Amino acid sequence: MKNLITFKYKHLLYKDEINDSFLLTKFIEIYRKSETILGCYSWSFKTTVKLRSMDIIFNEWSTSDGLYQFEVNKENLDTLIQCGAPKRRIHRKGKFLISREKKLGHRIIPFNPSYNKLLSVPVLSTVK
C-alpha cells in the first residue's frame, strides 16, 4: 500500500496485528486486493452513495450493522482519499480508532515505513 500514496498522505497508513497495511480515512478503510483492484470497507452510507453515484465502485456488499464492502480500480484511489482524509494522524488511543477496531474486527496500529524509499519510487497518486 505504501507505494500507492505520496509522502503527503503517509499519515493514512496503518497496519493490523498480522502486518497487513491499509489506508484509513474518516469514512473508508482501503486495502490492496490485487495489482489493479482495491478493496474498501465503508461505515458511512452517505459516502458510499456518493461513490456509487460516481459509478466507480463494483462488487458492493453490505452488512446488517452498517458496514459496506466494495471494490474500486486502483486509478480511483485519489477519489477515495478525497472523500475524507484527515489532515493528520488519528490519535492511537482515541475514541475514533477504538470504535473502528470494534466495527472492523481487527487492531489498527500506526504504520511508519521508511519514506526515503517512497520518495524515489514513481508515484501513482497525483492528489495535490
Side-chain angles (χ1 to χ4, degrees):
M1 251 350 255
K2 68 180 182 178
N3 59 354
L4 285 178
I5 61 169
T6 61
F7 184 75
K8 180 180 177 182
Y9 293 112
K10 69 181 174 116
H11 65 280
L12 299 176
L13 277 171
Y14 290 87
K15 63 181 179 178
D16 59 10
E17 59 271 0
I18 58 172
N19 288 327
D20 287 338
S21 62
F22 56 91
L23 301 175
L24 186 68
T25 68
K26 294 178 186 175
F27 307 112
I28 303 171
E29 176 185 307
I30 307 162
Y31 62 95
R32 180 178 272 186
K33 195 159 188 169
S34 70
E35 287 294 319
T36 59
I37 303 295
L38 299 174
C40 301
Y41 292 108
S42 175
W43 45 89
S44 171
F45 178 72
K46 188 176 180 180
T47 303
T48 306
V49 168
K50 180 180 175 182
L51 293 172
R52 192 184 304 144
S53 69
M54 295 171 142
D55 201 30
I56 62 171
I57 65 175
F58 52 92
N59 292 341
E60 182 181 354
W61 293 84
S62 64
T63 62
S64 61
D65 62 347
L67 192 64
Y68 303 93
Q69 180 182 5
F70 52 87
E71 297 174 355
V72 297
N73 287 325
K74 182 174 67 173
E75 292 80 27
N76 295 318
L77 178 63
D78 297 336
T79 306
L80 294 175
I81 290 175
Q82 290 173 353
C83 285
K87 292 185 169 93
R88 58 183 185 189
R89 185 168 305 272
I90 300 165
H91 191 269
R92 63 185 167 96
K93 293 184 180 179
K95 291 179 184 178
F96 180 79
L97 279 187
I98 292 169
S99 66
R100 293 309 117 205
E101 285 179 352
K102 288 179 184 176
K103 186 85 136 166
L104 296 169
H106 62 78
R107 297 238 3 242
I108 300 174
I109 305 164
F111 183 56
N112 296 317
S114 172
Y115 290 105
N116 294 333
K117 294 177 185 177
L118 183 64
L119 295 175
S120 64
V121 175
V123 178
L124 299 176
S125 179
T126 57
V127 176
K128 293 183 181 179

